[in-house]
Structure formats: structure tokens, C-alpha cells
């Protein structure tokens, strides 16, 4: 990833040490033997890996816990010392920045919302710098400094280069955001697509913990998808893996801004739903709140729009299941406010379109507020801090 200065480095200079720490972070507290089994390492390798982590205060040995019966020395569980360090996550939308301060275990300690009147990168950077300074002050009052900043932005983001190639909601093209934010804040910066950042948080701290293959599908202004394959978040060769929003599910459907017709997003995205409810009812529909209210009131045509949206989402999810065979698909995003209107259609369309054993995929909904998207950005900063040696160019 983009090279940035770092006041403190993680005291683990081998992939094995990072792996052990990540295992305890996601699954702990764990005994050394349990950590070895989960990480696929020898107990001796685990003991060697955890020694500098304990000495530096990143891991603690829970000597007060009731020792589990083992041969030899008592098996005291290892746990991550969440208060050892803080990280900041920021989710940038078209009209605000949502910022969170988390501990090392990605538990949100403080959250802030900062309005944006101008999406120009210079204005966003100024607002971001002020937000970061505020949260850094809060972090020091809590007793530990901030070791990294993660920024999540919708659109085509090259995490390795720290560049936002294209963000349609912000109207950004080729913005070297990691470099600019590092210069502005003085922190190591990780920049990623917002859905991928949310997927990292779900993989390490949420509904994807322990799963080798899963997907996160977000519904709302856009239809996004984050993919974890063989334990790795997948970006693809060009950074756009998982674009199910632009999978065609109805060739005769409405035109999409991408140039095709009948994409999932053209049927189930917020703007598409507002437009379709307006057309179906002949009423003034200003936004998704208006559309949702009409559907909940049973206004003719409005509920049918949501039913079609649910069917499109279900077929899109089935495409993911058929191609990758994930163990679980997690549906989230602000569009879940309408979950009661299209849950049945998602389930039915998925069941009809999923092939064979792909239909056994566990499809679950997980409503997450925007603070959790900012938490996802913090998770990418934590990940970069722990795995810095694995993320340099050429690795």
C-alpha cells in the first residue's frame, strides 16, 4: 500500500506472528494450544510469536482466569489488549463524514458526524483533518494514541495505491487520497472502497468470523458486494470484483447509468425505487423515505416496486452463490429499512435462481448504521497496521 510514516510499528515481523495475533483478535481469548490449532502452527511457533506481543502490551495473558486442564503449565488464555492503541475510521458520503474512534479490538469508543457542504477533495480533506484532530484528542484522554486512519469511499478505489479512481457520489476521479490525508493528518492512512472495508470488519469482528468464503451485499444508494474467498477479501485485478449491482437480471428492464439495461441497481437502488414509485403512483415522491411511507401505507403500485426490487436482489445474490459458493451472504445497508417489503421476494428469487447446493448458502440480514461503515474503515487501518509487512508493493 502507499508508503506513509509511522510513529509506532507492530512488534511482529513475521507473517506467523501477524497470523497468531489476528487469530486471537477474532476468536480470543484463546490458549496457546487453541491459537496454534486455529492458525495451523506448532505450539512452539505460537509461543515464539506471542512473546514480543506480550512484552509490547498488545497481548495479555489472562492469569486470573480459571486455568483450563492441560498437561504441564496451566493454559492461561491470551487476549488482545484493546486499550493498547486506537484507530480512526471515516466513511465519506456525499454530504457528511462519519468518523469513529476505535480501540485495537475495533470497538467503537466515540463517533462523530461532520456535515459536508462541498464534495471537493480540498474541502473534504479540511473537514477530515479537523475530525481526526478531535478524535486524536479524545484518544489521548483515554490513555493511548492513534496509530492509523482508515478512510472508506464508495466507488472504484485502488487500496494498494491509496487512490480513489472514480467515486460517482463524490464526483472524484484519480484522487490520491491516502497521500493527501497522510500529509494533512500526519497519520498512516489506508483508503478502501466502503463495501470492502465493511467486509473486512465483518471478516475480523462480525458475522464472517471463522468463515473462509462469504459475501457482504449492501443495498441502498447503490448495490454493492464484498467478497471473501479462501480467507482473503477479493478486489480483483482491477479493483472491481463483486460488482453485482451491474449484473443484468432483466434484459428488458430499465436503463442503468452504467449503459446497460436491467441491472440490479437499475431496479433496486434507491434512485431507481424512487423513480419507479413516482411512475407507479403518479404522486410526488421526493426521496426513499417518501417511497417507503407510500409502500407501508399500501398505496397501489408502491409495494409492487419493492417486490420487484427484492426479486432483483435475490437473483443478484444467487449469481454470487452460483459463481463462488460462499458459506454465507450477509445483506446490509441503509436499504434494509424496507426489508419487510422485499424479504420474501429476496428469499424466493434466490431459491429459484441458485443452482444445486448453492441454494444451501446461509443468507442473513444484518442492519448496520453508518457508524459501522466507519468502523469498517477503522478495521482496514488495524489490518494495515498488523500486516504492514505483507502489504508493501510487490508482496
Amino acid at each position: 500500500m502507499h508508503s506513509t510514516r509511522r510513529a509506532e510499528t507492530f512488534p511482529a515481523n513475521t507473517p506467523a506472528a501477524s497470523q497468531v495475533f489476528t487469530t486471537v483478535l477474532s476468536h480470543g481469548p484463546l490458549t496457546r494450544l487453541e491459537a496454534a490449532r486455529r492458525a495451523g502452527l506448532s505450539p512452539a511457533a505460537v509461543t515464539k510469536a506471542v512473546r514480543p506481543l506480550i512484552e509490547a502490551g498488545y497481548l495479555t495473558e489472562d492469569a486470573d482466569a480459571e486455568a483450563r486442564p492441560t498437561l504441564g503449565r496451566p493454559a492461561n488464555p491470551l487476549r488482545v489488549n484493546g486499550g493498547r492503541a486506537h484507530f480512526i475510521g471515516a466513511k465519506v458520503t456525499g454530504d457528511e463524514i462519519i468518523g469513529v474512534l476505535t480501540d485495537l479490538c475495533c470497538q467503537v469508543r466515540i463517533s462523530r458526524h461532520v456535515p459536508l457542504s462541498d464534495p471537493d477533495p480540498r474541502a473534504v480533506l479540511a473537514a477530515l483533518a479537523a475530525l481526526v484532530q478531535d478524535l486524536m484528542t479524545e484518544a489521548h484522554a483515554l490513555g493511548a494514541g492513534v496509530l492509523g486512519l482508515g478512510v472508506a469511499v464508495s466507488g472504484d478505489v485502488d487500496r494498494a495505491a491509496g487512490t480513489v479512481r472514480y467515486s460517482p457520489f463524490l464526483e472524484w476521479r484519480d484522487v490520491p487520497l491516502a497521500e493527501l490525508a497522510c500529509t494533512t493528518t500526519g497519520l498512516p492512512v489506508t483508503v478502501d472502497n466502503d463495501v470492502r472495508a465493511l467486509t473486512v470488519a465483518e471478516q475480523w469482528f462480525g458475522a464472517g468470523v471463522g468463515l473462509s468464503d462469504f459475501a457482504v451485499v449492501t443495498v441502498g444508494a447503490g448495490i454493492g458486494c464484498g467478497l471473501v474467498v479462501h480467507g482473503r477479501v477479493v478486489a480483483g485485478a482491477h479493483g472491481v470484483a463483486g460488482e453485482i449491482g451491474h449484473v443484468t437480471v432483466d434484459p428488458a428492464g430499465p436503463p442503468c447509468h452504467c449503459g446497460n439495461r436491467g441491472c440490479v441497481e437499475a431496479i433496486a437502488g434507491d434512485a431507481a425505487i424512487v423513480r419507479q414509485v413516482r411512475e407507479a403512483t403518479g404522486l410526488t415522491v421526493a426521496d426513499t423515505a417518501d417511497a417507503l411511507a407510500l409502500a407501508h401505507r399500501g398505496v397501489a403500485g408502491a409495494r409492487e416496486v419493492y417486490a420487484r426490487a427484492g426479486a432483483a436482489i435475490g437473483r443478484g445474490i444467487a449469481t454470487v452463490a452460483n459463481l463462488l459458493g460462499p458459506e454465507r451472504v450477509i445483506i446490509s445497508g441503509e436499504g434494509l429499512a424496507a426489508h419487510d417489503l422485499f424479504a420474501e421476494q429476496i428469499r424466493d428469487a434466490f431459491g429459484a435462481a441458485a443452482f444445486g447446493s448453492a441454494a444451501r448458502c446461509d443468507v442473513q440480514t444484518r442492519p448496520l448504521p453508518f457508524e459501522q461503515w466507519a468502523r469498517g474503515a477503522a478495521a482496514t487501518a488495524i489490518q494495515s497496521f498488523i500486516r504492514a509487512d505483507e502489504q508493501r508493493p510487490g508482496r
Side-chain angles (χ1 to χ4, degrees):
M1 63 175 292
H2 180 79
S3 176
T4 56
R5 61 185 181 274
R6 188 183 301 281
E8 181 176 341
T9 58
F10 188 62
N13 55 10
T14 66
S18 296
Q19 185 179 1
V20 170
F21 185 82
T22 302
T23 300
V24 177
L25 184 65
S26 295
H27 299 277
L30 298 173
T31 65
R32 285 172 169 77
L33 184 58
E34 290 167 339
R37 287 171 177 165
R38 285 187 177 273
L41 299 169
S42 70
V46 169
T47 296
K48 181 179 179 181
V50 303
R51 186 177 298 117
L53 297 171
I54 292 174
E55 290 174 352
Y58 285 93
L59 286 179
T60 62
E61 194 163 19
D62 200 351
D64 293 330
E66 184 177 344
R68 306 177 201 185
T70 66
L71 294 175
R73 60 178 292 184
N76 297 320
L78 296 166
R79 68 174 69 241
V80 172
N81 177 13
R84 174 62 176 78
H86 291 105
F87 294 83
I88 294 173
K91 155 72 171 168
V92 182
T93 75
D95 56 12
E96 69 173 344
I97 303 175
I98 303 96
V100 296
L101 177 71
T102 79
D103 64 15
L104 184 55
C105 295
C106 214
Q107 295 297 309
V108 175
R109 306 296 299 272
I110 298 167
S111 64
R112 296 279 191 272
H113 287 246
V114 176
L116 285 176
S117 57
D118 184 355
D120 181 82
R122 288 168 295 184
V124 172
L125 282 164
L128 178 64
L131 172 64
V132 167
Q133 185 58 53
D134 175 33
L135 292 175
M136 288 177 70
T137 300
E138 297 281 4
H140 284 292
L142 292 171
V146 174
L147 300 186
L149 165 66
V151 183
V153 179
S154 66
D156 182 358
V157 179
D158 184 339
R159 173 168 168 169
T163 300
V164 180
R165 293 199 198 104
Y166 176 53
S167 179
F169 296 113
L170 294 169
E171 298 183 349
W172 287 2
R173 287 189 182 276
D174 298 320
V175 176
L177 187 57
E179 179 180 2
L180 294 172
C182 174
T183 300
T184 303
T185 67
L187 291 172
V189 178
T190 302
V191 175
D192 208 345
N193 167 270
D194 56 353
V195 179
R196 282 202 301 271
L198 187 65
T199 303
V200 170
E202 290 300 289
Q203 180 188 26
W204 281 29
F205 308 106
V209 169
L211 300 181
S212 174
D213 301 88
F214 73 93
V216 175
V217 172
T218 58
V219 297
I223 308 295
C225 181
L227 301 172
V228 173
V229 179
H230 299 319
R232 290 269 181 180
V233 177
V234 176
H238 305 290
V240 293
E243 277 290 346
I244 70 163
H246 298 289
V247 169
T248 298
V249 293
D250 180 5
C256 182
H257 63 82
C258 74
N260 293 318
R261 300 187 71 91
C263 297
V264 177
E265 193 166 303
I267 299 170
D270 283 350
I273 287 175
V274 169
R275 184 189 68 252
Q276 292 171 91
V277 170
R278 190 182 296 132
E279 293 170 352
T281 63
L283 300 172
T284 300
V285 183
D287 52 26
T288 53
D290 283 355
L292 191 59
L294 291 172
H296 279 144
R297 280 163 40 197
V299 173
R303 293 186 73 92
E304 287 74 9
V305 169
Y306 281 97
R308 287 196 295 274
I313 294 167
R315 287 194 289 272
I317 292 172
T319 299
V320 173
N322 290 341
L323 287 173
L324 298 174
E327 299 167 70
R328 178 173 296 158
V329 172
I330 303 157
I331 307 174
S332 191
E334 67 273 21
L336 283 187
H339 181 253
D340 60 308
L341 296 171
F342 54 45
E344 181 179 353
Q345 287 77 17
I346 291 176
R347 183 177 61 252
D348 290 348
F350 172 79
F355 175 75
S357 60
R360 295 163 53 191
C361 173
D362 173 28
V363 179
Q364 60 176 242
T365 57
R366 184 163 156 79
L368 295 170
F370 264 133
E371 285 80 6
Q372 293 300 307
W373 293 68
R375 178 176 179 258
T380 66
I382 295 171
Q383 184 184 62
S384 292
F385 177 68
I386 295 169
R387 296 180 172 175
D389 61 309
E390 299 177 36
Q391 299 187 57
R392 295 174 188 142
R395 293 276 177 153

